[in-house]
mmCIF file of all heavy atoms in Angstrom:
data_model
loop_
_atom_site.group_PDB
_atom_site.id
_atom_site.type_symbol
_atom_site.label_atom_id
_atom_site.label_comp_id
_atom_site.label_asym_id
_atom_site.label_seq_id
_atom_site.Cartn_x
_atom_site.Cartn_y
_atom_site.Cartn_z
ATOM 1 N N LEU A 82 -4.295 -5.181 -3.505
ATOM 2 C CA LEU A 82 -4.891 -5.832 -2.341
ATOM 3 C C LEU A 82 -3.963 -5.544 -1.175
ATOM 4 O O LEU A 82 -2.834 -6.024 -1.150
ATOM 5 C CB LEU A 82 -5.017 -7.351 -2.539
ATOM 6 C CG LEU A 82 -5.967 -7.878 -3.609
ATOM 7 C CD1 LEU A 82 -5.983 -9.411 -3.571
ATOM 8 C CD2 LEU A 82 -7.375 -7.337 -3.433
ATOM 9 N N VAL A 83 -4.427 -4.765 -0.212
ATOM 10 C CA VAL A 83 -3.582 -4.334 0.893
ATOM 11 C C VAL A 83 -3.903 -5.174 2.127
ATOM 12 O O VAL A 83 -5.010 -5.103 2.663
ATOM 13 C CB VAL A 83 -3.773 -2.839 1.181
ATOM 14 C CG1 VAL A 83 -2.894 -2.411 2.349
ATOM 15 C CG2 VAL A 83 -3.426 -2.009 -0.056
ATOM 16 N N PHE A 84 -2.934 -5.957 2.579
ATOM 17 C CA PHE A 84 -3.135 -6.814 3.740
ATOM 18 C C PHE A 84 -3.028 -6.032 5.042
ATOM 19 O O PHE A 84 -3.785 -6.291 5.981
ATOM 20 C CB PHE A 84 -2.133 -7.967 3.731
ATOM 21 C CG PHE A 84 -2.273 -8.874 2.544
ATOM 22 C CD1 PHE A 84 -1.313 -8.887 1.545
ATOM 23 C CD2 PHE A 84 -3.378 -9.699 2.407
ATOM 24 C CE1 PHE A 84 -1.445 -9.701 0.443
ATOM 25 C CE2 PHE A 84 -3.527 -10.525 1.303
ATOM 26 C CZ PHE A 84 -2.552 -10.522 0.315
ATOM 27 N N ALA A 85 -2.089 -5.098 5.119
ATOM 28 C CA ALA A 85 -1.922 -4.283 6.328
ATOM 29 C C ALA A 85 -1.231 -2.993 5.939
ATOM 30 O O ALA A 85 -0.375 -2.980 5.053
ATOM 31 C CB ALA A 85 -1.115 -5.026 7.390
ATOM 32 N N SER A 86 -1.596 -1.907 6.613
ATOM 33 C CA SER A 86 -1.003 -0.622 6.261
ATOM 34 C C SER A 86 -1.066 0.338 7.440
ATOM 35 O O SER A 86 -1.946 0.233 8.300
ATOM 36 C CB SER A 86 -1.733 0.002 5.064
ATOM 37 O OG SER A 86 -3.054 0.391 5.415
ATOM 38 N N LYS A 87 -0.119 1.263 7.451
ATOM 39 C CA LYS A 87 -0.201 2.424 8.331
ATOM 40 C C LYS A 87 -0.080 3.654 7.445
ATOM 41 O O LYS A 87 1.014 4.050 7.041
ATOM 42 C CB LYS A 87 0.882 2.441 9.409
ATOM 43 C CG LYS A 87 0.585 3.512 10.477
ATOM 44 C CD LYS A 87 1.547 3.514 11.615
ATOM 45 C CE LYS A 87 1.028 4.342 12.779
ATOM 46 N NZ LYS A 87 0.505 5.693 12.403
ATOM 47 N N PRO A 88 -1.217 4.246 7.075
ATOM 48 C CA PRO A 88 -1.190 5.393 6.169
ATOM 49 C C PRO A 88 -0.451 6.579 6.772
ATOM 50 O O PRO A 88 -0.275 6.690 7.987
ATOM 51 C CB PRO A 88 -2.680 5.710 5.966
ATOM 52 C CG PRO A 88 -3.390 4.440 6.316
ATOM 53 C CD PRO A 88 -2.574 3.821 7.398
ATOM 54 N N PHE A 89 -0.051 7.489 5.863
ATOM 55 C CA PHE A 89 0.604 8.731 6.267
ATOM 56 C C PHE A 89 -0.003 9.871 5.458
ATOM 57 O O PHE A 89 -0.131 9.791 4.242
ATOM 58 C CB PHE A 89 2.109 8.657 6.010
ATOM 59 C CG PHE A 89 2.840 9.928 6.339
ATOM 60 C CD1 PHE A 89 3.167 10.228 7.650
ATOM 61 C CD2 PHE A 89 3.171 10.836 5.343
ATOM 62 C CE1 PHE A 89 3.830 11.412 7.961
ATOM 63 C CE2 PHE A 89 3.832 12.015 5.639
ATOM 64 C CZ PHE A 89 4.164 12.310 6.957
ATOM 65 N N GLY A 90 -0.379 10.940 6.146
ATOM 66 C CA GLY A 90 -0.975 12.075 5.465
ATOM 67 C C GLY A 90 -2.429 11.839 5.113
ATOM 68 O O GLY A 90 -3.059 10.885 5.572
ATOM 69 N N THR A 91 -2.964 12.721 4.270
ATOM 70 C CA THR A 91 -4.400 12.679 3.942
ATOM 71 C C THR A 91 -4.676 12.148 2.544
ATOM 72 O O THR A 91 -5.840 12.049 2.159
ATOM 73 C CB THR A 91 -5.000 14.090 4.052
ATOM 74 O OG1 THR A 91 -4.294 14.973 3.147
ATOM 75 C CG2 THR A 91 -4.874 14.623 5.470
ATOM 76 N N LEU A 92 -3.627 11.782 1.787
ATOM 77 C CA LEU A 92 -3.846 11.320 0.423
ATOM 78 C C LEU A 92 -3.563 9.819 0.309
ATOM 79 O O LEU A 92 -4.342 9.016 0.790
ATOM 80 C CB LEU A 92 -3.002 12.145 -0.554
ATOM 81 C CG LEU A 92 -3.347 13.647 -0.581
ATOM 82 C CD1 LEU A 92 -2.418 14.401 -1.515
ATOM 83 C CD2 LEU A 92 -4.803 13.864 -0.963
ATOM 84 N N ASP A 93 -2.438 9.437 -0.293
ATOM 85 C CA ASP A 93 -2.226 8.008 -0.545
ATOM 86 C C ASP A 93 -0.841 7.514 -0.139
ATOM 87 O O ASP A 93 -0.406 6.452 -0.587
ATOM 88 C CB ASP A 93 -2.470 7.687 -2.021
ATOM 89 C CG ASP A 93 -1.571 8.490 -2.963
ATOM 90 O OD1 ASP A 93 -0.755 9.291 -2.466
ATOM 91 O OD2 ASP A 93 -1.683 8.308 -4.185
ATOM 92 N N ALA A 94 -0.128 8.250 0.712
ATOM 93 C CA ALA A 94 1.174 7.785 1.190
ATOM 94 C C ALA A 94 1.002 6.850 2.380
ATOM 95 O O ALA A 94 -0.058 6.804 3.012
ATOM 96 C CB ALA A 94 2.059 8.975 1.570
ATOM 97 N N ASN A 95 2.053 6.101 2.691
ATOM 98 C CA ASN A 95 2.026 5.155 3.806
ATOM 99 C C ASN A 95 3.360 5.158 4.539
ATOM 100 O O ASN A 95 4.422 5.163 3.916
ATOM 101 C CB ASN A 95 1.752 3.729 3.316
ATOM 102 C CG ASN A 95 0.331 3.553 2.831
ATOM 103 O OD1 ASN A 95 0.018 3.871 1.694
ATOM 104 N ND2 ASN A 95 -0.529 3.052 3.691
ATOM 105 N N SER A 96 3.290 5.135 5.873
ATOM 106 C CA SER A 96 4.497 4.879 6.655
ATOM 107 C C SER A 96 5.020 3.486 6.321
ATOM 108 O O SER A 96 6.228 3.287 6.156
ATOM 109 C CB SER A 96 4.202 5.009 8.147
ATOM 110 O OG SER A 96 3.764 6.307 8.465
ATOM 111 N N TRP A 97 4.101 2.514 6.240
ATOM 112 C CA TRP A 97 4.440 1.170 5.772
ATOM 113 C C TRP A 97 3.175 0.459 5.308
ATOM 114 O O TRP A 97 2.060 0.838 5.682
ATOM 115 C CB TRP A 97 5.169 0.344 6.839
ATOM 116 C CG TRP A 97 4.492 0.217 8.182
ATOM 117 C CD1 TRP A 97 4.815 0.892 9.331
ATOM 118 C CD2 TRP A 97 3.383 -0.630 8.537
ATOM 119 N NE1 TRP A 97 3.990 0.518 10.364
ATOM 120 C CE2 TRP A 97 3.103 -0.412 9.909
ATOM 121 C CE3 TRP A 97 2.607 -1.537 7.843
ATOM 122 C CZ2 TRP A 97 2.077 -1.088 10.587
ATOM 123 C CZ3 TRP A 97 1.569 -2.216 8.509
ATOM 124 C CH2 TRP A 97 1.332 -1.986 9.867
ATOM 125 N N GLU A 98 3.345 -0.559 4.478
ATOM 126 C CA GLU A 98 2.224 -1.367 3.999
ATOM 127 C C GLU A 98 2.777 -2.629 3.350
ATOM 128 O O GLU A 98 3.931 -2.683 2.935
ATOM 129 C CB GLU A 98 1.357 -0.599 2.998
ATOM 130 C CG GLU A 98 2.111 -0.118 1.775
ATOM 131 C CD GLU A 98 1.257 0.705 0.831
ATOM 132 O OE1 GLU A 98 0.036 0.478 0.765
ATOM 133 O OE2 GLU A 98 1.825 1.578 0.133
ATOM 134 N N VAL A 99 1.938 -3.649 3.262
ATOM 135 C CA VAL A 99 2.278 -4.864 2.523
ATOM 136 C C VAL A 99 1.074 -5.197 1.650
ATOM 137 O O VAL A 99 -0.062 -5.240 2.128
ATOM 138 C CB VAL A 99 2.659 -6.032 3.468
ATOM 139 C CG1 VAL A 99 1.564 -6.352 4.468
ATOM 140 C CG2 VAL A 99 3.029 -7.265 2.661
ATOM 141 N N PHE A 100 1.322 -5.407 0.331
ATOM 142 C CA PHE A 100 0.200 -5.538 -0.584
ATOM 143 C C PHE A 100 0.600 -6.272 -1.863
ATOM 144 O O PHE A 100 1.782 -6.403 -2.182
ATOM 145 C CB PHE A 100 -0.366 -4.160 -0.934
ATOM 146 C CG PHE A 100 0.586 -3.243 -1.655
ATOM 147 C CD1 PHE A 100 0.569 -3.143 -3.038
ATOM 148 C CD2 PHE A 100 1.493 -2.457 -0.961
ATOM 149 C CE1 PHE A 100 1.428 -2.289 -3.718
ATOM 150 C CE2 PHE A 100 2.354 -1.593 -1.623
ATOM 151 C CZ PHE A 100 2.328 -1.512 -3.005
ATOM 152 N N LEU A 101 -0.411 -6.724 -2.593
ATOM 153 C CA LEU A 101 -0.239 -7.286 -3.922
ATOM 154 C C LEU A 101 -0.630 -6.242 -4.956
ATOM 155 O O LEU A 101 -1.575 -5.476 -4.754
ATOM 156 C CB LEU A 101 -1.124 -8.521 -4.127
ATOM 157 C CG LEU A 101 -0.822 -9.773 -3.316
ATOM 158 C CD1 LEU A 101 -1.790 -10.882 -3.720
ATOM 159 C CD2 LEU A 101 0.610 -10.224 -3.508
ATOM 160 N N SER A 102 0.083 -6.239 -6.074
ATOM 161 C CA SER A 102 -0.203 -5.326 -7.176
ATOM 162 C C SER A 102 -0.163 -6.101 -8.483
ATOM 163 O O SER A 102 0.675 -6.990 -8.656
ATOM 164 C CB SER A 102 0.823 -4.197 -7.221
ATOM 165 O OG SER A 102 0.712 -3.445 -8.412
ATOM 166 N N GLN A 103 -1.059 -5.768 -9.405
ATOM 167 C CA GLN A 103 -1.043 -6.392 -10.723
ATOM 168 C C GLN A 103 -1.001 -5.309 -11.796
ATOM 169 O O GLN A 103 -1.980 -4.613 -12.022
ATOM 170 C CB GLN A 103 -2.276 -7.281 -10.934
ATOM 171 C CG GLN A 103 -2.209 -8.052 -12.229
ATOM 172 C CD GLN A 103 -3.285 -9.099 -12.384
ATOM 173 O OE1 GLN A 103 -3.145 -9.999 -13.185
ATOM 174 N NE2 GLN A 103 -4.363 -8.994 -11.627
ATOM 175 N N ARG A 104 0.163 -5.162 -12.398
ATOM 176 C CA ARG A 104 0.327 -4.237 -13.511
ATOM 177 C C ARG A 104 0.659 -5.079 -14.736
ATOM 178 O O ARG A 104 -0.206 -5.694 -15.331
ATOM 179 C CB ARG A 104 1.392 -3.197 -13.176
ATOM 180 C CG ARG A 104 0.942 -2.291 -12.021
ATOM 181 C CD ARG A 104 1.989 -1.305 -11.593
ATOM 182 N NE ARG A 104 1.494 -0.482 -10.487
ATOM 183 C CZ ARG A 104 2.232 0.360 -9.795
ATOM 184 N NH1 ARG A 104 3.516 0.510 -10.089
ATOM 185 N NH2 ARG A 104 1.714 1.070 -8.813
ATOM 186 N N THR A 105 1.921 -5.107 -15.143
ATOM 187 C CA THR A 105 2.278 -6.028 -16.212
ATOM 188 C C THR A 105 2.385 -7.458 -15.701
ATOM 189 O O THR A 105 2.299 -8.410 -16.464
ATOM 190 C CB THR A 105 3.612 -5.617 -16.854
ATOM 191 O OG1 THR A 105 4.611 -5.572 -15.833
ATOM 192 C CG2 THR A 105 3.478 -4.247 -17.496
ATOM 193 N N MET A 106 2.588 -7.607 -14.401
ATOM 194 C CA MET A 106 2.635 -8.919 -13.765
ATOM 195 C C MET A 106 2.238 -8.736 -12.302
ATOM 196 O O MET A 106 2.184 -7.612 -11.791
ATOM 197 C CB MET A 106 4.023 -9.549 -13.868
ATOM 198 C CG MET A 106 5.117 -8.752 -13.209
ATOM 199 S SD MET A 106 6.770 -9.438 -13.532
ATOM 200 C CE MET A 106 6.902 -9.167 -15.300
#
């Protein structure tokens, strides 16, 4: 869940971002 981001390039990199992730926790 990405609250805010500044993407970089044409794929999936970011200059910066803040987000939630759920993997093992």
Side-chain angles (χ1 to χ4, degrees):
L82 294 183
V83 179
F84 298 109
S86 68
K87 192 176 194 312
F89 177 80
T91 59
L92 298 177
D93 58 0
N95 290 83
S96 299
W97 54 257
E98 59 183 330
V99 57
F100 63 96
L101 293 182
S102 169
Q103 186 171 199
R104 294 176 180 172
T105 57
M106 61 187 66

